[in-house]
Amino acid sequence: MPAHADNSRTEDQSQIHTDATAGSDQYFQPPSESELPDNAFGKLVQEGRAIFVDTKNRAPEYVGNGLACANCHLEQGRKANSAPLWAAYTMYPAYRSKNDKVNSYTERLQGCFQYSMNGTAPEADSPVIAALSAYSYWLSTSAPTGQALPGRAYPEVPEPKGGYDLAKGEQIYTAQCVVCHGENGQGQKAGKDYVFPPLWGADSFNWGAGMHRINTAAAFIKENMPLGQGGTLTNEDAWHVAAFMNSKERPQDPRLVDGSVEKTRVKYHANDGVNLYGKTINGRVLGEGL
């Protein structure tokens, strides 16, 4: 099933990609844990880090699925080319076409809870936002303000000339992804907590999350997956498996317009990168939710 990319609305910082030409020594280096001060600020930063890596247990009232912030922002939000916090914090306030307004960093965090976590946005003055903001601020210590740093997002991966192929994506998923994420994308648990996150289904991110875009998921996968073997998949394979993952149903977009998937597609998804929201796959219209 071939498909072709729409032009990304790059003024929206959730869709900005970078190339990966910079060497590791050229990336900004956030402070080490040994540099954390032993005072009230240090304790707040530690709480922010704990929420970041164990979001469901540390902020359960705001999380509606099995994901943690660290599932998309690897190495506790430190990893270059994986949307690190140190490259994000200093770029806000920023315009986002997703909600057609200039967002504060707090609003950006709130959006992650609403879409990626399929939950509820914490109040702006809540302890959760305060802790996550402090953690982000600390990681960006000495980073330049308003300057797009190398490694700030997922390096862009060009779409295959023939478009993505869902059948090839399924083959790649079976060979490379099933061992961690399960045959049905359900993830893998140790006790009640996920060790590897669900990629689709009721406990994954919803249709409003940035990762539902095939181009975004392909960039993340190419750089980071299989875990510990990032960069081993070809660009084409990353696109194919991203398309397969995002051809599966997941929780509904909370911005649903008048109960209509088609109206929601036109308003929010028609120009939002490459995605399958509102498309019919295997006889089912995607976006109806679970």
Side-chain angles (χ1 to χ4, degrees):
M1 172 188 248
H4 301 283
D6 299 322
N7 291 327
S8 292
R9 306 168 88 179
T10 53
E11 75 278 11
D12 181 345
Q13 294 203 21
S14 67
Q15 293 199 47
I16 290 178
H17 300 296
T18 58
D19 64 42
T21 56
S24 59
D25 60 338
Q26 294 177 280
Y27 295 127
F28 173 80
Q29 297 299 310
S32 64
E33 188 172 349
S34 63
E35 299 175 66
L36 193 62
D38 184 17
N39 56 21
F41 172 68
K43 289 182 173 61
L44 187 61
V45 169
Q46 288 179 320
E47 176 61 20
R49 180 178 56 196
I51 293 170
F52 193 83
V53 301
D54 190 18
T55 318
K56 186 174 180 64
N57 289 319
R58 290 282 184 160
E61 65 270 41
Y62 303 114
V63 178
N65 58 21
L67 302 185
C69 305
N71 290 138
C72 294
H73 311 271
L74 300 187
E75 297 178 8
Q76 302 181 9
R78 292 173 170 271
K79 187 178 183 297
N81 296 317
S82 187
L85 298 186
W86 47 259
Y89 184 83
T90 58
M91 294 301 291
Y92 283 84
Y95 173 77
R96 300 189 72 218
S97 60
K98 185 167 188 170
N99 52 18
D100 193 26
K101 60 180 286 192
V102 174
N103 285 203
S104 65
Y105 190 69
T106 289
E107 289 173 310
R108 185 69 178 90
L109 292 174
Q110 289 173 321
C112 288
F113 279 94
Q114 186 177 9
Y115 301 112
S116 295
M117 304 290 180
N118 191 39
T120 303
E123 298 79 4
D125 60 351
S126 67
V128 168
I129 292 295
L132 288 172
S133 296
Y135 182 50
S136 303
Y137 170 81
W138 177 70
L139 285 179
S140 64
T141 300
S142 300
T145 300
Q147 180 178 327
L149 296 174
R152 65 176 295 200
Y154 310 133
E156 186 173 4
V157 178
E159 182 180 7
K161 291 182 179 179
Y164 55 77
D165 187 305
L166 299 183
K168 289 182 179 178
E170 184 173 14
Q171 293 171 0
I172 297 160
Y173 183 85
T174 299
Q176 300 285 352
C177 313
V178 163
V179 66
C180 293
H181 296 287
E183 183 177 354
N184 297 308
Q186 74 272 20
Q188 188 175 153
K189 286 184 173 181
K192 63 183 181 64
D193 297 320
Y194 282 101
V195 178
F196 298 104
L199 302 181
W200 64 83
D203 222 13
S204 187
F205 56 88
N206 67 42
W207 281 109
M211 200 62 76
H212 94 284
R213 295 189 296 262
I214 296 170
N215 52 302
T216 299
F220 174 82
I221 290 167
K222 169 68 177 179
E223 177 66 21
N224 299 295
M225 295 292 133
L227 189 64
Q229 302 177 55
T232 60
L233 294 178
T234 66
N235 292 343
E236 292 79 9
D237 285 353
W239 267 84
H240 296 327
V241 76
F244 173 72
M245 177 183 85
N246 283 331
S247 71
K248 303 295 186 178
E249 192 59 276
R250 57 188 63 260
Q252 196 173 79
D253 190 330
R255 302 168 297 181
L256 189 70
V257 179
D258 297 334
S260 168
V261 170
E262 177 58 18
K263 288 182 179 180
T264 308
R265 185 194 69 79
V266 170
K267 184 169 183 178
Y268 294 114
H269 297 271
N271 296 304
D272 188 21
V274 183
N275 68 85
L276 291 170
Y277 184 90
K279 305 291 180 65
T280 300
I281 304 294
N282 296 325
R284 178 171 180 173
V285 176
L286 293 176
E288 294 178 346
L290 295 167

